[in-house]
Amino acid sequence: MPKSTRQVRNKKRTITAQDLYQLRIATSISLSPDENLIAATVERMDEEDKKYYTNIHIWDIAHGTERQFTFGKHNDGRAIFSPDGTQIAFVSSRDKKTGVYVMPTEGGAERQVLEIEGSVSNLQWTPDMKSLVFCLRYRDSHFEKDEKKKKEQPVYRHITRFLWRMDAAGFLPKDTFQVYRLEIEDGSLEQITRSKRDCSQVTLSPDGKTVAYISNRAKDPDLHDGLDEIFIKPLHGGKEKSLPAPEGPKMAPVFSPDGRNVAYLGHDNPGDAWGVTPIHIWKVNVSGKSRAKNLTADFDRQCYDESITDTGEQTSYQPIMWSADSKRVYFLSSDTGVTNMFYAPAKGGKPTRIFRGDCHIRGFSVNGKTRTAGLIYADLSNPSEIKTCPTTYQGEKKAKTHSKLNEFLSTEVKLGRTREVRFQSFDETEVQGWVVQPPDFKSTKKYPAILEVHGGPRVQYAFSFMHEMQWLAAQGYVVFYTNPRGGAGRGRTWSEAIIASWG
């Protein structure tokens, strides 16, 4: 080995707590219509402010370049390419308000089209690029006219519903999510739905004439959260119509490119214990003449990412996406410690794995001709990088990496070796786990050990980077973590063990 190479390796250090501030985590990804650009939100932790900030970065796949698209100490949401790819729309939280912005893809001055006190989700362009459609819910402060009272903490809160507070959201406002259309030219806002219940997760039809959304019209949705319905409604006026689908939770609806169907995530067991019945991909015709069909009925896995790390929130029910010819639906699924990308035939049948590997695909995007998939990729040594691969079987063999978000982990840091282990439990059931050794581990030496147990245990540990495990190993511990029965990634029988534990 050349002397210079030995010197570089010897200079590597162990991971530290301060390295958290160097990590760059991609939290969402969007592929442009021509499949040449990738826009991703990249999260960082600010050491001075002790806060998380997120900005948009763009990778030019063809030319191998990267540029930061938005700047500032705020949180920019997922980039949404216009149908012709020339503009990007995004939501950003700034100065305790939420704004909707539009900006040329080539860069330049951003334009604020809307600013509100509230939340905006499911942002999307109309085909003519004159409007944006999304779901909006106002905060209670929006309805307070006295600016001084807006800044005052409430003396008391009148709780009128069972579900009144949520993790990461805090106290829920009295307002409900409704569907709106925003004119880009003059910033005028039109409310499309007017229900007493949430109308959320809106999707716009390819011709821009119809919206579909999820709403629970039960007497008390908080107590009957499995009674979601899919509604469709003309964007420019008309009555809503419920599409025929079995009772059960419903999420992430999306129109097929031919406009004939809506695919969604859900199941048909409204009385399900938490996380047992598999969330599958369903398809329902917008004509309402036939009931929804489960496209992945024989697939004994959940059709979304269930892997967890300490470098980002586990977000269930990621968007599903259609192929350009309306013959496939793309999705993520977790399986025995991995999260890979799949597609399901629109006619139903066995899913095909597009990207296979001991890794954690944390997000994906397809667009245009849907020949390429943009991926947020993580594994045991890296929490987040941007990749692309073909949307075909064994696409991982032609995958390409486009980012160097966390290059320092390979060039500066000597990580502890992490290896998967399989062992027999008391009744000969195989259990999966991982062991992290200290960076300078010696088999002849004894080390203290730490057993890490994840809660739930609905989700799963995975082949994904864990800063905590690496940091503990750097302190001289052997770290052991496993996926117990009752968790995710091993099918329905494995998940049902949680019911037995409840007695």
Side-chain angles (χ1 to χ4, degrees), residues 83 122-129 131-134 179-181 192 201-213 230-237 243 253-263 284-287 322 326:
N122 305 102
L123 185 70
Q124 52 209 290
W125 292 84
T126 56
D128 60 10
M129 298 189 297
S131 305
L132 294 165
V133 173
F134 48 82
V179 179
Y180 288 80
R181 182 177 66 88
I192 307 302
Q201 304 180 64
V202 66
T203 178
L204 183 65
S205 63
D207 61 9
K209 296 180 180 180
T210 307
V211 291
Y213 47 91
I230 298 178
F231 291 88
I232 60 173
K233 184 177 182 180
L235 181 62
H236 298 288
L243 297 181
V254 57
F255 274 98
S256 59
D258 62 17
R260 297 177 181 177
N261 299 291
V262 171
V284 59
N285 193 275
V286 297
S287 68
W322 287 86
S326 299

Side-chain angles (χ1 to χ4, degrees), residues 11-191:
K11 288 181 180 179
K12 282 190 174 183
R13 57 178 176 79
T14 58
I15 201 166
T16 68
Q18 293 299 110
D19 284 328
L20 283 170
Y21 298 113
Q22 287 199 61
L23 295 179
R24 297 294 180 265
I25 310 299
T27 56
S28 71
I29 185 169
S30 298
L31 190 65
S32 63
D34 62 7
E35 300 181 304
N36 287 330
L37 300 177
I38 287 178
T41 49
V42 178
E43 183 181 73
R44 68 188 187 281
M45 288 164 271
D46 188 274
E47 185 171 8
E48 180 181 356
D49 297 346
K50 299 296 187 292
K51 291 182 179 180
Y52 293 92
Y53 296 116
T54 306
N55 296 124
I56 299 171
H57 293 237
I58 292 182
W59 286 264
D60 186 320
I61 300 172
H63 298 92
T65 60
E66 175 194 356
R67 57 190 166 95
Q68 188 165 342
F69 187 69
T70 62
F71 298 82
K73 290 187 173 184
H74 43 251
N75 290 294
D76 301 321
R78 181 172 178 259
I80 310 298
F81 283 97
S82 61
D84 67 357
T86 63
Q87 300 180 76
I88 286 177
F90 60 97
V91 178
S92 185
S93 299
R94 307 178 186 184
D95 299 323
K96 298 183 179 180
K97 291 188 177 181
T98 300
V100 176
Y101 296 80
V102 173
M103 189 170 171
T105 305
E106 293 298 321
E110 63 185 19
R111 178 188 168 200
Q112 185 187 80
V113 187
L114 178 71
E115 184 180 57
I116 62 161
E117 296 177 77
S119 301
V120 172
S121 63
N122 305 102
L123 185 70
Q124 52 209 290
W125 292 84
T126 56
D128 60 10
M129 298 189 297
K130 294 181 179 179
S131 305
L132 294 165
V133 173
F134 48 82
C135 294
L136 183 157
R137 179 177 66 185
Y138 289 106
R139 291 197 293 265
D140 292 342
S141 58
H142 168 79
F143 302 100
E144 176 58 63
K145 304 303 180 182
D146 189 329
E147 292 296 326
K148 182 179 179 180
K149 289 184 178 181
K150 284 185 179 184
K151 300 178 182 180
E152 296 176 352
Q153 289 294 323
V155 178
Y156 67 92
R157 295 183 186 273
H158 183 199
I159 306 302
T160 60
R161 54 181 297 189
F162 180 75
L163 189 64
W164 53 275
R165 188 174 183 175
M166 292 285 287
D167 290 345
F171 293 99
L172 299 182
K174 296 177 182 178
D175 192 32
T176 56
F177 273 110
Q178 300 298 323
V179 179
Y180 288 80
R181 182 177 66 88
L182 175 65
E183 284 285 346
I184 295 176
E185 183 176 350
D186 61 9
S188 59
L189 192 62
E190 178 187 6
Q191 186 170 343

Side-chain angles (χ1 to χ4, degrees), residues 43 152 184 195 228 277 426:
E43 183 181 73
E152 296 176 352
I184 295 176
S195 173
D228 295 330
T277 304
F426 68 94

